[in-house]
Amino acid sequence: MNHTLSALVVVITYRSGDVAADLAATVSRWLAGGPDRAAVFLDNSDDHECVATARAAVDPSVIDRFVAEVAPNNLGFSFGVNHAVELGRRRWGEPRVVLLHNPDVATSAQVLERVVMLAVEPGIGIAAPTLRAPDGAVDRGSARRVWNKRRLFATLVGLPALPPLLGTPRRSIPVEGPGVHDVAFTSGAYMAIRREVFGTGLDTRLPMYLEDQEICHRAHDLGYRVVVSGDLSAEHVGGVSRKSNTAQRRALRLMELVVAPCLSLMDTSGIGERPLKMLVGAAGLTRGALALPASLGQRGERAAWLRDQLTLAAWFVSWAMTPGRIGDVEWNRATRPAEAG
């Protein structure tokens, strides 16, 4: 057993059987690069076939450093990550770097290795490649500034280019060009976290879609940089693990677009719940009002696009009018980003 691993790759899957083989084969090639590397695939959907597919894609020469199993129950992302890391610790020892990798991201063994190496450079606590959509565009979650009210409003309205007109930079940070780019937050879909930042694991008190922001916040608070490499990229297909029925889709979209941003903004700025609910409601009404004229410029499935926009707008308004607290965030608030306008 290696008492210290150079890196442990953690993949949490959920109904991801169609991509498990390709990713496991990539991880297998990365494992072949050294005996101090290991990986854990943990499935949250009771999909034994996905687990078997992943195992079958791994070269026998490295299978002793690869674990694929079904979680005892649907642990959720943060619990799943912590459980997977504990499995790795018990079997191989403490990892110097934990690399989180979503099943819907396509990468290479070379990029895996270079991201891990970047994460342990002096002063760096979290490192990530540039995530790109299948069309080559940079994923908006890849390199981000902190939330402020204007950026949140623009996101909810569906106009990511609006913030400069409102007097604030866009949420996304440009990462085109060589070298590393310092960011406030990067995506948990593909991030390497050094041991000093990962500590005992992700914060399981937080709701889905806030975990990556919290760990980046933690890195900054500990004095480390969070960086995205402009020289390394991976393709983020997206949606592989999403649930399909309407109720679940609504909950996930509201968590991603409303709840997590609001909780993050509350923590970094001290803004209260009532103003944020008013902002979300106003953004929903604005999105609905803009949907019909905007649909005239749509090609193809115009009616379906309009229906989706009106549905999302109605969800925002309904959420804003529903009584109850948004929630609490238990971050260390010793260091707050200065920008919260």
Side-chain angles (χ1 to χ4, degrees), residues 21-35:
D22 287 342
L23 180 54
T26 298
V27 171
S28 175
R29 289 189 288 273
W30 172 77
L31 290 173

Side-chain angles (χ1 to χ4, degrees), residues 277 280-286 312-322:
K277 284 207 167 189
V280 173
L285 292 173
T286 303
L312 204 54
W315 287 356
F316 293 166
V317 173
S318 175
W319 181 89
M321 295 178 63
T322 301

Side-chain angles (χ1 to χ4, degrees), residues 1 9 21 57 151 270:
M1 181 180 83
V9 169
R151 292 186 191 121

